[in-house]
Each structure stands twice: as structure tokens, then as C-alpha cells.
Amino acid sequence: MNDNAADGVGAEIATAAAIDAAARILENGGLVAFPTETVYGLGADAENPLAVRTIYLAKGRPADHPLIVHLAAGADPGYWSSNVGALAEKLIAAFWPGPLTLILQRAKHVPDIVAGGQDTIGLRCPAHPVAQALLHKFKAGRGGLAAPSANLFGHVSPTTAGHVREEFHDAPLVQCVLEGGQSAIGIESTILDLSREKPMLLRPGGVSALQIAQLLGVMPGAPDAQAPRVPGALASHYAPRTPVVLAPGAGLAEWLNALVSSGRRVALMRHTLQHDADQAHTAHAFAFSITSMQMPAAPDAYAHALYAALRQLDRTKADVILVEALPDTDAWRAIHDRLARAACGSAERMSHLIR
Ligand code: TXA
Ligand code: MG
């Protein structure tokens, strides 16, 4: 396999035969990683508690963290939720298949372990054609696949099949990784909780709060103390091994100077173009201390590239990943959210460098 294929560029998409075989593995209680338009998922039969337990084992994820159940387009959400309701129906009609997960009351027959013991259930209908083909084959379209992102607990989510293999290279529990190229969106779905009085946005993502508000006529609220615990909402999550620092507004050059002058190797993620003067300065003084990655300037393209960039910069063995400050607008909200979580705890991890 060449590097491009490993990165999902020009990778071959799973064949019908591979998808068929994957559906059989799932029906027999095995685990299959599959592509979605957000990130790759690690799937198991949502109605098989032992299979779901295996997901937690493979990821090293605490078993009280609920999973999202993925459904085929056109499947009946009423099978999974005792109380779908008019708001959910409106959202489903507008945004499914797509990057929107709905938290609804859980139907009694849905195993406890899928929901991490909560009386609610997360439902999502992914838009990726391979995910849909798999969901239509699996139990003839009438089943659900419990699937968290296909990464070890707390680590960066995978956006290519190569990333999934990197995460689980020796893991005997992951029986198959379906190829689907690079995930188009690149960050996880929006999570909207409809199980309480007022819609609550638990995680920003590809469907924005504004789009939801326009459809429902009410702005979703921010999670409060009563909101369910969501591991994706843990302060630290989606983190590479290298500490991540978000440069404050205009302070990028100053941060670079300070870090490099104190002997640090810096992996820099910037999305604005470097000024010439800046560049000359960097080239002469810091050439050996800085690896610079040019990110796209538009938010959708930035999100698409984000996790692959973090993985790549992680491999440079830099002391710190320094991220240029992002615009403070709605379109960048989900990216802000993921980078803030990736940066969380980095100060402590860096303290040994700064001594
Ligand atoms: O885009 C995505 O959502 C990807 C792809 C694979 O579909 N999946 C994903 O799954 O990001 P995961 O497990 O990494 O994150 C799912 C989030 C978790 O933060 C989990 O706590 C939350 O969804 N969640 C699932 N069910 C829930 C429930 N019943 N109540 C509250 N939060 C729930
Ligand atoms: Mg995850």
C-alpha cells in the first residue's frame, strides 16, 4: 500500500462483497469499523449486549458512556425510542441521512449497555454510502449498529481507514475495517438532546445550532448541570499525545518566538497565509525548530483536514502543537470545541518542558 492509500486519498472503496462479509461478522457478534461522513465508527449489533461490551473493551472506554445507534435511511426510529415526537420527526425529515444525532427516550427492549445505563438513546442515520450499504445489509436494514468513533478512548477520531488501522493495529477484536476514503466532514456529528423539556445542544457539529433554530423556531440551549454526562463533552477529549496550545488572538508570533527561543520544537497549524517578512524570519532563525502545516482558511475544509493534521503533527515528535487562533464565528464553533478539548490538560503536560 502506498502512503496515499494509507491516508485515504485514492483509496479503494469497500466492494459489495466486503460489505456483505462485514454484515455477517456483525450479525455474528463481531466488530466492524466503517466509514461515515463525520468520522469512522467502530460498530457492533446494538441489540447484542455481548457484542456492545466488546466495543468498550476494544476502545478501553468506560462502560457507563452511552453509544450512538446508527440506522439505515428510512428505518423506523420508533423501534428504538418510545417517544419520538414532532420535533424529532421534523429534524429527521430535514437532516437525515446526515451529521445529526438525536437523544430520545429509550424503548424498553434496547439493551441497557448501549445507553450506558441512561434511559435515553442516541440515534443517527449516517450519509456515507458505505455506511448505508452496510446498514441495509445488516439484518436486512432492520437492525441498528452501536458505534462510537473508531479510536482508543480519548484519542483523536479517525477520518480514514488507515487511521483506524493505526489505532487498532494489533487488536484481535476489530475483525474488519471497511474502506471508504477520507470522511467528507471530518468532525463528529452534532448531538441534540430532545429527551427533556427544551432541545439542548450537547455537541456542536456539521448541523449548526442556527440551522436547528431555523427549523424548530427555537434556539437549542447549552447543557446545564442536569444535562446527561457525555464523554465527548469531557473537557479533555479528541487529544493527540503532543500537548496542544491555542495561540491567543494576535499573539502567534510572540508565542512562536518564546517557544523556539527556549529550545522547543514547535508543530505549527496556521490557516492564514504567512507574511513574507514572517517567513524569512522563520526560515533563518527557526528552520530546524518549526514544522509548519498550512490549514485551509474556510471552516468546512479546515474541519475536513483537522484530525489528519493532528495525527500527522503528532508524528513529528514536536514538543508542542501550536494552533493559530480561529475566527470567533458560528461556522467555526464545532472546530473551536474540538481544539479546546484537544488542548485541555496540555498545560500540565507541558509544565515539565517549561521548567
Ligand atoms: O459523528 C459521530 O457521531 C460519530 C460517528 C461514528 O457516527 N460517532 C461518535 O461517537 O462520535 P462517540 O461515541 O465517539 O461519541 C458519541 C457521543 C458521546 O459523547 C456520547 O456520550 C454521546 O454521544 N451519547 C450517546 N448516547 C447518548 C445518550 N443517550 N445521552 C447522552 N449522550 C449520548
Ligand atoms: Mg469519540
Side-chain angles (χ1 to χ4, degrees):
M1 196 197 311
N2 62 30
D3 283 340
N4 277 353
D7 281 335
V9 180
E12 283 183 27
I13 304 300
T15 59
I19 292 169
D20 236 24
R24 298 296 91 76
I25 291 172
L26 290 163
E27 286 164 0
N28 289 318
L31 299 191
V32 170
F34 61 95
T36 87
E37 76 282 22
T38 58
V39 300
Y40 276 65
L42 183 60
D45 179 354
E47 295 179 278
N48 179 341
L50 260 177
V52 175
R53 172 81 194 127
T54 313
I55 297 180
Y56 290 100
L57 287 178
K59 279 192 59 121
R61 175 170 174 155
D64 62 347
H65 289 185
L67 302 174
I68 295 172
V69 177
H70 295 67
L71 305 178
D76 178 15
Y79 177 76
W80 300 92
S81 169
S82 44
N83 188 6
V84 176
L87 292 189
E89 272 164 13
K90 239 175 155 170
L91 288 158
I92 287 170
F95 296 117
W96 279 14
L100 176 66
T101 297
L102 299 176
I103 307 294
L104 302 170
Q105 286 305 320
R106 171 164 61 109
K108 291 228 159 34
H109 65 89
V110 179
D112 222 45
I113 187 168
V114 184
Q118 320 236 11
D119 54 6
T120 53
I121 188 77
L123 299 178
R124 160 161 139 75
C125 177
H128 195 292
V130 172
Q132 278 301 327
L134 179 66
L135 285 160
H136 277 99
K137 282 283 173 201
F138 172 67
K139 293 185 170 176
R142 286 187 291 274
L145 292 180
S149 50
N151 52 274
L152 298 174
F153 181 63
H155 195 211
V156 179
S157 298
T159 51
T160 68
H163 294 165
V164 179
R165 285 189 286 268
E166 240 169 69
E167 290 283 316
F168 296 106
H169 50 96
D170 280 332
L173 295 176
V174 180
Q175 292 180 39
C176 164
V177 181
L178 286 178
E179 186 63 67
Q182 188 167 358
S183 296
I185 294 179
I187 56 176
E188 303 79 357
S189 62
T190 303
I191 303 183
L192 187 71
D193 184 359
L194 293 175
S195 71
R196 301 191 301 147
E197 256 164 56
K198 185 181 177 320
M200 293 287 189
L201 190 74
L202 300 187
R203 182 173 72 184
V207 174
S208 73
L210 208 62
Q211 284 174 287
I212 293 168
Q214 276 163 355
L215 187 79
L216 300 185
V218 48
M219 195 59 152
D224 53 27
Q226 274 79 53
R229 267 178 326 102
V230 183
L234 290 177
S236 166
H237 215 75
Y238 313 111
R241 290 172 182 88
T242 313
V244 175
V245 169
L246 309 183
L252 186 65
E254 230 178 326
W255 267 87
L256 258 184
N257 269 317
L259 285 166
V260 173
S261 324
S262 56
R264 306 293 158 240
R265 285 159 304 161
V266 181
L268 173 65
M269 267 172 77
R270 61 184 316 157
H271 62 281
T272 60
L273 287 175
Q274 218 172 3
H275 301 302
D276 286 350
D278 209 10
Q279 197 153 19
H281 188 48
T282 318
H284 290 305
F286 304 145
F288 300 110
S289 310
I290 301 176
T291 309
S292 188
M293 174 167 298
Q294 185 64 49
M295 295 293 286
D300 288 358
Y302 193 110
H304 176 74
L306 176 62
Y307 288 148
L310 287 176
R311 280 173 188 273
Q312 195 177 327
L313 293 179
D314 219 8
R315 281 195 293 267
T316 65
K317 302 273 191 294
D319 296 311
V320 55
I321 297 174
L322 181 65
V323 183
E324 181 182 11
L326 303 172
D328 186 19
T329 60
D330 207 50
W332 289 86
R333 195 108 319 141
I335 301 168
H336 263 292
D337 173 82
R338 302 308 190 279
L339 279 170
R341 293 182 207 290
C344 184
S346 290
E348 292 87 80
R349 282 190 282 154
M350 275 188 73
S351 58
H352 73 282
L353 297 173
I354 291 166
R355 258 202 305 259

